[in-house]
Amino acid sequence: MDQSFENAVTVFYLNPENCRFYMTEQKILMCSIPTLSFDARVFLAKAFPFEKNEEYLSVLNEEKQEVGMIRDLAVFPEETAELVRSELEKRYFAPKIKKIVKVNERFGFSYWEVETDFGRLSFTVKDIQRSLIRVSEERLFVVDTDGCRYEIENVNELDRKSYSKIQLYL
Amino acid sequence: MKRKASWENEPFPFEEYFVSAHGKAVFHFPISSNFCLSLIEGEVFLAEDALYRLEKRKGEVLERCFPLEKIEEARFYGYTGIAVCEIRVEGLWLEFCRSRGKDKKNISQLVRIVNEIADGSLQAKDAVFVPKSSTCPRCHRPYAPGSQVCHHCDSKKRFSGRLLAMVRPQLLGILLSMILFGATTLFNLVIPMIQRNLVDGFLQNSDIEYAVSHISSMVLVVLSMALVRVLIVIFSVCRNNLLSRVSNKTVVKMRGDIYRHIQTLSVAGISRHTAGDLISRVSRDTEEISNFLTHQLPNILEQVLTLLFVGTMLFSTDWRLAIFILLPMPFVAILFRVIWRRTQKLYRRQWFESANADTTLHDIFQGVRVVKVYGTEKSEIAKYDKVIANLRDVSVRSEYVWSSLMPYANFLMQVGNFILLYYAGTHILEGQMTIGELTMFTSYVSLIYSPLRWMARVPRMLQRTMTSVSKVFEVLDEEPDVSDAENAREMTIRGEIEIDSIYFGYDENENVLENVSVSIHPGEMLGIVGRSGVGKSTLINLVMRLYDVNKGAIRIDGVDVRDIAQHSLRSQIGVVLQETFLFSGTVYENLVYAKPDATYEEVIRAAKLANAHSFIMKLPDGYHTVVGEKGYTLSGGERQRVAIARAVLHDPKILILDEATSALDTETEKLVQDALAKLCQNRTTIAIAHRLSTLRNATKLLVLDKKSVAEIGTHEELLKQGGIYHDLVMAQRQMSAIKKTKKNPDSL
Ligand SMILES: Nc1ncnc2c1ncn2[C@@H]1O[C@H](COP(=O)(O)OP(=O)(O)OP(=O)(O)O)[C@@H](O)[C@H]1O
Ligand SMILES: [Mg+2]
């Protein structure tokens, strides 16, 4: 991508100098951007939720229109990053699967029981083949019937028993 | 209790806790919210005067309480795997609760109820809450989406009963073919007995004279054998004919049933499935079921009969020998089980992989233009190579299992024969057994292993059939959600449309349109403008009643569209959809789609009106040129004109044009517009367009913005208002001014 492309579109990246995140007493995330004379509630969305959890975050206003982007949360001081993280937590629930206890397939649905970083969870997946999102050779996401995503960070690092339960679908 | 524990941790008795502290709640439901990388179990309670959230954190129960009179409004947010309820208290929003995606129905219900309480239309004590658990109360497994039937608990018996009901007309045929199956099996089993008689009675007898004197009875035996063979042939032919008839009929009936049912579903219902999914249910699953009923089921009968008959024959002839022969049977059975366990997985894998290969191909061919344009053939080839390499590997592996284990199984089966030979040999020498009996035994031994080999496959087969059955029933169980009211009326429409403060969202929790009202008199033309994605197409979908509104009403000639018979309503509406779709077929067939009895003259008139006639006449076969997927590819604007002609051909009372002329150049558009304007004189038209000049004939303009009506009025009124429409007009004028100056720089 050459110069002309960069000139054609500019992305407004937020950084500690041009904006300030804070939380109201009601635990609502606010952001003030003096240059835009913006100071209101904001929502967050990950641009690349499968790969970047704390990078390329879109900051949206109440109308769900973007006011700016966070290229990397790491440039913000730790307290601010914490605020942003707690807001992201409200927005995304994607437990990481540590162990697969059971996968029963029945009538086109499969019933999963897994150990995750949020404890033991069970969920249903419709049409496994179409509900697996492969991000790379080893990383994948399982999408359940409620739209919740479950991450398997590395299929090769699963224990043998867990692996054998999903091997079929890989 | 044990089973439950494996699915869920023992829940904390929030209800007891709540009742002891605050008395009885109106309703309550559990939530589990993610907080600092752990899930916190809790429960939401609505009491008559307040809303409570109870949570268990670090062994303590945390309670938050909001008096209802202080809650001004509630709001639902559906995020990725999370549902959130926010409430406004004293002008400030705050998060009341959040939970995993599976509770979103409960949370959105809560939001609705709290809002109704807040605006005074509902008393908290009268609130009705229907817990929409997404898990089965019996086994705690989650339901399939859109269904409240647990496939796990739904007994197989019920399925079989419904299945039988479905094939009832063919039941007689199926029974008859089963009987024929039984008969041929029995005949097949009789042959070894006749053989024994032949060998023992005649062939083995060294007394020539005896043989000669009994030659006639020997002929009789031989003849009876021939007769049995002939009967077998006749019965098989009858059976096969019957079977193919019955199975064809069942497939056709089932497909018809499902297809008809799918047609009754609403657009929303159908789009819950992908097209491929529905196609496979209509074609593959019904095939599978019919195959089971007409082939596997009689086959089961045959195998069971063989097993029983041969078993009794063997035992009744010589039980010791029978035991010897059956000795290797358990081992054979185990071995087959092993082979099946191994290959079953591989076969499924193979199936997945081949489906995958198909999809990949489908994708590549569908997008062949994109592939060519970007010159990515090589990487596409590599992608496909990889997919088929996977398929090949799996196939090789399953072949390998078979070919390396099958010889052992065969050998084990031979062992029975060795024992037989040894045992029979000694007994024949000692004169305790005849050669005829030996012949019979050998035949039976070879017969008894076939059911065995086959039995190993039965569980898998049954499971596959049940899967198909449940998939078919799943579609059949879906209630049409946009259905005709009981007293739905047929009526002749004049064309008065009244949209009365409607609310609608594709997802029940997120409105696309809010409080939209507009009325159109017969013969008027309403133009709808607004940003892309604002809900213009959605609004006309509602007028056609492809979906039902959530709140408010749409009335045509004063009658709620929900009270008009759907076919009556739609047969009087002509639509050109934003995505013009032509069926594979001739231009003519596409034109007369909504009015099959149109005369050629009418067709040509409609085509002329849409300015399509001239280009159609240039096509190689005129109106008979095949278009659509397989045929002649029309340009975008040509397709649109065919669609316009199709819409006006059946002389609709209401004409809906969704970006119907967007792909036409301005001149052609103007021609079409003027023709339409004449046509539209006494019919109601709703037109959507981004290019405002398209709407210059509109009597009234509706500007949609932020889910609702921003402006409404005539062109002049809106211009004067100086709002969104004014800005749009100015922007587009500027645009055309620029174009003009570029074309004609002197005019500056
Ligand atoms: N079948 C559907 N299911 C779910 N959401 C839908 C569906 N169809 C449309 N939407 C959403 O509803 C909103 C309104 O869509 P709609 O098609 O009515 O927009 P529109 O105003 O016609 O836009 P355009 O001018 O681009 O045609 C969009 O946000 C769209 O994503
Ligand atoms: Mg549209």
Side-chain angles (χ1 to χ4, degrees):
Chain A
M1 250 161 255
D2 61 10
Q3 208 66 57
S4 67
F5 193 81
E6 239 169 74
N7 291 338
V9 197
T10 46
V11 181
F12 179 51
Y13 286 110
L14 300 173
N15 57 42
E17 281 76 55
N18 63 16
C19 77
R20 188 175 74 86
F21 285 98
Y22 60 100
M23 219 166 233
T24 64
E25 231 174 275
Q26 283 73 28
K27 297 271 189 312
I28 296 288
L29 184 70
M30 310 282 280
C31 179
S32 81
I33 308 168
T35 49
L36 300 180
S37 45
F38 177 90
D39 187 0
R41 175 170 192 187
V42 287
F43 294 82
L44 297 170
K46 298 178 189 174
F48 309 104
F50 294 152
E51 295 189 18
K52 307 276 183 207
N53 274 320
E54 305 207 334
E55 287 169 64
Y56 296 99
L57 306 175
S58 181
V59 178
L60 310 161
N61 66 11
E62 294 227 32
E63 269 86 55
K64 301 290 149 66
Q65 274 156 352
E66 186 174 283
V67 287
M69 279 195 106
I70 299 176
R71 197 201 307 252
D72 189 352
L73 196 54
V75 303
F76 285 89
E78 192 47 35
E79 310 90 79
T80 312
E82 268 310 312
L83 294 183
V84 172
R85 265 181 221 127
S86 76
E87 179 68 21
L88 283 176
E89 186 177 39
K90 285 185 201 168
R91 178 81 172 69
Y92 293 91
F93 179 61
K96 293 191 173 72
I97 294 178
K98 302 287 178 215
K99 196 175 145 200
I100 298 167
V101 184
K102 216 189 283 173
V103 178
N104 282 342
E105 207 180 346
R106 242 185 125 90
F107 305 149
F109 288 87
S110 57
Y111 301 90
W112 295 55
E113 197 180 338
V114 295
E115 294 283 357
T116 68
D117 48 356
F118 284 94
R120 184 175 277 223
L121 297 174
S122 57
F123 57 91
T124 310
V125 172
K126 186 184 178 178
D127 195 349
I128 294 196
Q129 286 278 294
R130 256 182 263 164
S131 303
L132 290 187
I133 304 173
R134 303 213 63 158
V135 179
S136 67
E137 277 299 310
E138 58 274 348
R139 216 161 142 249
L140 61 91
F141 283 83
V142 188
V143 182
D144 76 1
T145 48
D146 294 308
C148 183
R149 276 101 172 120
Y150 300 83
E151 183 182 354
I152 299 180
E153 277 185 309
N154 189 339
V155 280
N156 302 319
E157 277 172 17
L158 286 175
D159 56 288
R160 261 184 57 97
K161 270 193 179 163
S162 301
Y163 185 77
S164 70
K165 289 191 180 87
I166 55 163
Q167 188 184 22
L168 183 58
Y169 314 108
L170 301 178
Chain B
M1 218 55 214
K2 217 176 189 180
R3 135 147 249 106
K4 186 176 168 186
S6 88
W7 281 91
E8 249 182 8
N9 292 330
E10 208 48 53
F12 179 81
F14 282 110
E15 193 181 356
E16 277 170 38
Y17 181 92
F18 184 85
V19 169
S20 65
H22 309 282
K24 215 168 147 40
V26 181
F27 65 79
H28 60 107
F29 60 89
I31 53 169
S32 48
S33 36
N34 58 325
F35 189 79
C36 290
L37 284 185
S38 59
L39 271 183
I40 290 160
E41 298 303 321
E43 208 151 325
V44 167
F45 290 85
L46 179 84
E48 282 183 19
D49 55 347
L51 191 59
Y52 294 85
R53 184 188 73 198
L54 267 54
E55 270 175 358
K56 193 149 180 279
R57 283 194 200 184
K58 294 183 190 129
E60 265 180 69
V61 178
L62 271 172
E63 184 182 306
R64 290 204 73 180
C65 165
F66 298 92
L68 284 175
E69 74 238 358
K70 285 208 174 141
I71 302 178
E72 292 148 4
E73 199 186 337
R75 200 152 61 171
F76 174 91
Y77 287 104
Y79 292 133
T80 325
I82 297 186
V84 178
C85 165
E86 286 190 1
I87 52 176
R88 197 175 66 201
V89 178
E90 291 166 348
L92 295 169
W93 285 100
L94 60 93
E95 180 182 300
F96 169 66
C97 69
R98 67 165 179 263
S99 187
R100 288 175 63 191
K102 69 181 172 66
D103 298 322
K104 70 174 169 226
K105 286 223 169 94
N106 288 343
I107 293 187
S108 68
Q109 257 192 96
L110 174 77
V111 166
R112 206 199 63 227
I113 290 171
V114 170
N115 274 332
E116 280 173 18
I117 295 172
D119 67 23
S121 60
L122 182 78
Q123 289 290 310
K125 63 177 184 343
D126 301 329
V128 183
F129 179 84
V130 191
K132 291 222 178 90
S133 165
S134 53
T135 51
C136 166
R138 283 240 297 279
C139 66
H140 292 264
R141 282 178 176 78
Y143 289 132
S147 148
Q148 291 281 316
V149 181
C150 177
H151 286 302
H152 195 264
C153 295
D154 211 352
S155 73
K156 286 180 188 164
K157 266 198 209 120
R158 231 195 81 207
F159 270 160
S160 350
R162 289 182 63 186
L163 196 59
L164 281 186
M166 216 164 152
V167 296
R168 178 154 297 145
Q170 304 305 324
L171 220 51
L172 200 69
I174 293 175
L175 277 180
L176 201 61
S177 73
M178 275 169 97
I179 291 172
L180 286 176
F181 245 112
T184 44
T185 316
L186 288 181
F187 283 144
N188 264 322
L189 295 173
V190 165
I191 285 182
M193 277 157 84
I194 302 177
Q195 262 171 349
R196 182 191 63 181
N197 281 341
L198 186 68
V199 172
D200 280 354
F202 307 98
L203 300 183
Q204 209 210 346
N205 215 312
S206 44
D207 186 348
I208 303 270
E209 266 175 37
Y210 173 86
V212 170
S213 66
H214 287 82
I215 194 104
S216 57
S217 44
M218 182 173 128
V219 168
L220 216 66
V221 174
V222 174
L223 275 183
S224 67
M225 205 149 109
L227 182 71
V228 172
R229 287 270 177 218
V230 169
L231 278 180
I232 290 179
V233 171
I234 294 175
F235 274 45
S236 313
V237 169
C238 290
R239 179 192 73 193
N240 291 348
N241 280 341
L242 188 65
L243 266 186
S244 60
R245 270 240 296 286
V246 169
S247 75
N248 271 326
K249 278 192 184 157
T250 33
V251 168
V252 169
K253 168 134 196 320
M254 266 191 282
R255 284 191 187 159
D257 283 355
I258 303 175
Y259 182 71
R260 264 192 300 280
H261 187 79
I262 292 177
Q263 292 288 353
T264 66
L265 294 179
S266 67
V267 176
I270 292 175
S271 39
R272 261 201 290 274
H273 307 273
T274 60
D277 178 50
L278 286 178
I279 291 170
S280 98
R281 282 174 208 223
V282 173
S283 56
R284 234 192 40 209
D285 290 322
T286 51
E287 186 90 51
E288 186 85 41
I289 294 173
S290 134
N291 185 31
F292 172 78
L293 284 175
T294 54
H295 289 96
Q296 323 276 31
L297 211 58
N299 208 348
I300 292 180
L301 182 80
E302 182 182 358
Q303 305 292 352
V304 170
L305 264 182
T306 309
L307 203 62
L308 284 179
F309 187 87
V310 173
T312 26
M313 280 315 288
L314 288 181
F315 274 95
S316 64
T317 322
D318 188 332
W319 64 269
R320 269 160 307 188
L321 185 51
I323 288 180
F324 275 128
I325 292 171
L326 296 183
L327 221 51
M329 246 174 73
F331 299 102
V332 177
I334 291 171
L335 197 62
F336 273 122
R337 204 68 217 124
V338 171
I339 296 182
W340 266 100
R341 280 263 277 286
R342 292 256 179 106
T343 49
Q344 183 185 323
K345 275 195 168 175
L346 288 171
Y347 277 143
R348 293 200 50 206
R349 184 81 194 266
Q350 209 170 340
W351 188 85
F352 276 147
E353 293 292 352
S354 74
N356 201 359
D358 285 351
T359 331
T360 315
L361 264 195
H362 186 114
D363 256 21
I364 296 174
F365 289 148
Q366 284 252 308
V368 71
R369 274 161 218 236
V370 182
V371 175
K372 288 280 167 200
V373 165
Y374 286 96
T376 48
E377 294 93 340
K378 282 226 177 70
S379 74
E380 290 299 336
I381 293 171
K383 211 191 274 172
Y384 187 63
D385 278 350
K386 201 176 148 212
V387 172
I388 45 178
N390 283 344
L391 179 58
R392 180 199 60 210
D393 292 346
V394 180
S395 312
V396 167
R397 264 169 59 203
S398 65
E399 282 305 314
Y400 176 78
V401 174
W402 269 109
S403 55
S404 56
L405 289 179
M406 232 7 233
Y408 293 105
N410 283 335
F411 172 75
L412 272 179
M413 292 203 265
Q414 301 291 324
V415 170
N417 270 329
F418 290 140
I419 298 169
L420 172 70
L421 279 179
Y422 171 75
Y423 181 93
T426 50
H427 278 67
I428 289 172
L429 287 181
E430 286 165 15
Q432 287 166 345
M433 195 181 188
T434 65
I435 296 192
E437 277 171 343
L438 175 68
T439 336
M440 188 181 77
F441 256 86
T442 342
S443 311
Y444 280 148
V445 169
S446 63
L447 279 177
I448 205 164
Y449 284 108
S450 122
L452 212 61
R453 194 187 309 207
W454 181 83
M455 290 287 180
R457 267 177 8 213
V458 171
R460 171 87 196 109
M461 200 179 71
L462 280 180
Q463 206 209 344
R464 256 193 29 200
T465 311
M466 288 318 284
T467 307
S468 289
V469 171
S470 71
K471 279 190 169 175
V472 165
F473 284 144
E474 195 186 291
V475 175
L476 288 180
D477 285 344
E478 260 172 55
E479 295 276 324
D481 43 3
V482 174
S483 51
D484 272 346
E486 244 165 61
N487 49 353
R489 312 182 9 192
E490 309 263 333
M491 57 183 264
T492 314
I493 292 174
R494 273 186 303 118
E496 167 136 14
I497 304 173
E498 192 191 350
I499 296 170
D500 185 4
S501 41
I502 55 158
Y503 287 77
F504 174 77
Y506 291 99
D507 186 356
E508 58 192 299
N509 309 315
E510 174 106 26
N511 279 336
V512 173
L513 294 172
E514 281 175 358
N515 198 14
V516 173
S517 299
V518 60
S519 59
I520 317 161
H521 301 296
E524 277 188 349
M525 174 174 175
L526 175 76
I528 307 178
V529 288
R531 276 206 199 93
S532 170
V534 75
K536 303 182 294 295
S537 302
T538 306
L539 187 62
I540 59 161
N541 284 344
L542 294 173
V543 172
M544 291 184 281
R545 208 186 161 214
L546 295 183
Y547 301 86
D548 273 339
V549 294
N550 295 352
K551 219 165 125 186
I554 295 182
R555 283 182 279 272
I556 292 182
D557 296 347
V559 182
D560 194 314
V561 284
R562 281 167 290 201
D563 295 331
I564 306 177
Q566 287 178 60
H567 75 93
S568 167
L569 172 70
R570 290 188 200 133
S571 66
Q572 297 177 69
I573 299 182
V575 215
V576 180
L577 294 175
Q578 194 165 17
E579 290 92 26
T580 31
F581 180 83
L582 300 185
F583 291 99
S584 310
T586 63
V587 175
Y588 175 76
E589 282 163 358
N590 270 293
L591 286 174
V592 299
Y593 186 71
K595 194 187 180 193
D597 56 350
T599 63
Y600 291 116
E601 212 184 309
E602 287 175 315
V603 171
I604 292 174
R605 220 183 301 141
K608 280 215 157 183
L609 189 145
N611 217 288
H613 180 73
S614 55
F615 86 79
I616 293 174
M617 290 321 293
K618 286 191 198 121
L619 298 176
D621 301 318
Y623 282 85
H624 283 153
T625 309
V626 175
V627 295
E629 201 177 6
K630 290 188 290 274
Y632 205 94
T633 318
L634 298 181
S635 80
E638 288 167 346
R639 268 201 304 273
Q640 279 194 336
R641 279 177 281 167
V642 173
I644 294 174
R646 171 169 69 187
V648 295
L649 182 61
H650 74 293
D651 193 23
K653 292 293 175 322
I654 298 173
L655 189 63
I656 294 178
L657 305 167
D658 189 352
E659 290 284 359
T661 49
S662 61
L664 301 184
D665 57 283
T666 22
E667 265 124 279
T668 315
E669 183 183 32
K670 191 162 176 331
L671 287 176
V672 177
Q673 288 272 312
D674 292 344
L676 277 178
K678 273 184 229 143
L679 181 84
C680 291
Q681 261 159 17
N682 38 39
R683 64 199 78 217
T684 313
T685 311
I686 302 179
I688 297 175
H690 286 294
R691 195 155 60 193
L692 298 176
S693 60
T694 310
L695 302 175
R696 74 205 134 80
N697 295 327
T699 22
K700 199 189 263 178
L701 290 159
L702 172 74
V703 183
L704 286 178
D705 193 39
K706 293 183 185 159
K707 301 180 183 179
S708 53
V709 181
E711 293 164 19
I712 195 161
T714 63
H715 174 75
E716 286 73 28
E717 284 169 8
L718 294 187
L719 267 190
K720 240 183 265 158
Q721 258 183 35
I724 299 176
Y725 185 75
H726 171 263
D727 296 350
L728 274 175
V729 172
M730 288 306 141
Q732 293 200 359
R733 268 194 199 157
Q734 233 165 16
M735 198 65 167
S736 51
I738 294 169
K739 275 187 198 149
K740 266 181 208 147
T741 47
K742 270 196 181 159
K743 231 194 274 175
N744 191 357
D746 307 331
S747 73
L748 253 178

